[in-house]
Amino acid sequence: MASILFDEIGLLYTGDQTGGEEIASAALVVEDETVAWVGPAASAPQADRRVDVGGRCVLPGFVDSHAHLVFAGDRTAEFVARMSGEQYRAGGIRTTVAATREAADSVLAARTAALVTEMLAQGTTTVEIKSGYGLTEEDERRSLEIAGAFTEETTFLGAHVVPAGVSTDDYVRQVAGPMLAACAPLARWIDVFCERGAFDGDQTREILSAGIAAGLGARVHAAQFGVGPGVEIACELGAASADHCTHLSDDDVTALATSGVVATLLPGAEFSTRSPYPDARRLLAAGATVALATDCNPGSSYTSSMPFCIALAVREMRMTPLEAVRAATHGGARALRRDDIGVLRPGSRADLAVLDAPSYVHLAYRPGVPLIHQVWRGGRKVA
Ligand code: NIG
Ligand code: FE
């Protein structure tokens, strides 16, 4: 068994709220793919190899629990129009659907690979990838096949929007029936865009229930444009996560806090659609588990950067740097119901981000600066 001692860690953020969440002058030992030991450098055990971290900050690799990476084309013109005052609408998704259906498998796979590589270089060691730009049985299936080459966290999002030329009732029947049957073997999760212009509460319930019956875990795009039924349905069906959570009623906040459904906030979407940010403080005060994710997609949030989302969370949503980093690591892992990532404790997967900075605070304090020095995934240096 090969072991590595990461020594001279200026500040180790373990994310382990049961142990020392932050350890100054720390060390960490990895054995093969797994963390074997964390603690003060002075009492570190021996290992086969030593990596001198040079006083830098080490934290768990980011867990980006919400991303739409399998698509072709872009929506530059839509972005430019929006920055001149146009409103963001769900209908723009159909532009990307048309481009994605036209694209060869090899093109889609190469583009997905490029985004995953971009993410890795920015410290993301786990990413959830959704389908949702195919919207036919065949195109959703191939999106999930491509996604599955990059992550085990694959999500069937046939219910992204109703495609052009199909009636809503027919499409809901198709998604909950044959499309789900074709896609379920390739997915871990099912998601629905529950919003005006996409799917209403009854349709969302029907599609998610069918997915759960097919063995998938549920997650929901909820409350992006206005208060709606998405959060309530997520809590009622035991979804892992309700995502966006930009417009919440008091009942929604209470339901999130008491059900344990993770509230996943996607501030890149508010940034890129010039919309008001979610009220993170209200969720945290109620005791909800908050995750941060990029929502990387060509329409509402074309960023692959978790450090950028952390900076937005701190500046725009008044999360403390510690809360934001916790939400980008442990929070994302909770949103994916994973215990082996998002924390650095003995037994965790050895996914580390080494910052070119003495503290994780710099992720928000030095926005836009590439601070990722090294990335290790499963005990191997990957960036
Ligand atoms: O999470 N809201 C639904 N889906 C994406 C946007 C997709 C698009 O505009 O292409 C989101 O923001
Ligand atoms: Fe999304």
Side-chain angles (χ1 to χ4, degrees), residues 8 15 93 142 168 178 197 217 221-222 274 286 369:
E8 306 291 336
I93 293 168
R142 81 167 173 150
T168 303
H221 277 73
R274 195 173 276 141
V369 179

Side-chain angles (χ1 to χ4, degrees), residues 66 68 75 88 93 96 133 160 193 221 224 244 269 295 297-300:
H66 183 138
H68 310 247
R75 309 234 291 274
Y88 172 73
I93 293 168
T96 302
Y133 291 117
H160 202 181
F193 186 16
H221 277 73
Q224 179 179 8
H244 284 289
D295 194 14
N297 77 78
S300 66

Side-chain angles (χ1 to χ4, degrees), residues 72-142:
D74 72 21
R75 309 234 291 274
T76 313
E78 185 187 308
F79 177 74
V80 171
R82 202 157 62 231
M83 291 304 108
S84 317
E86 288 276 314
Q87 250 206 329
Y88 172 73
R89 286 186 192 85
I93 293 168
R94 292 192 191 99
T95 308
T96 302
V97 170
T100 304
R101 286 178 181 172
E102 287 286 300
D105 295 6
S106 58
V107 171
L108 289 179
R111 291 179 55 119
T112 305
L115 286 170
V116 170
T117 303
E118 218 174 87
M119 289 179 157
L120 211 50
Q122 295 173 93
T124 298
T125 46
T126 302
V127 59
E128 179 257 19
I129 305 180
K130 300 173 195 297
S131 67
Y133 291 117
L135 310 189
T136 63
E137 201 177 305
E138 195 185 320
D139 287 300
E140 285 296 295
R141 245 193 93 87
R142 81 167 173 150

Side-chain angles (χ1 to χ4, degrees), residues 291-304:
L292 278 175
T294 61
D295 194 14
C296 183
N297 77 78
S300 66
S301 182
Y302 202 1
T303 180
S304 52

Side-chain angles (χ1 to χ4, degrees), residues 6-7 9 12 14 23-29 37-45 344 346:
F6 291 82
D7 209 357
I9 301 174
L12 178 65
T14 67
I23 310 173
S25 303
L28 178 146
V29 176
W37 184 92
V38 295
S43 44
L344 296 172

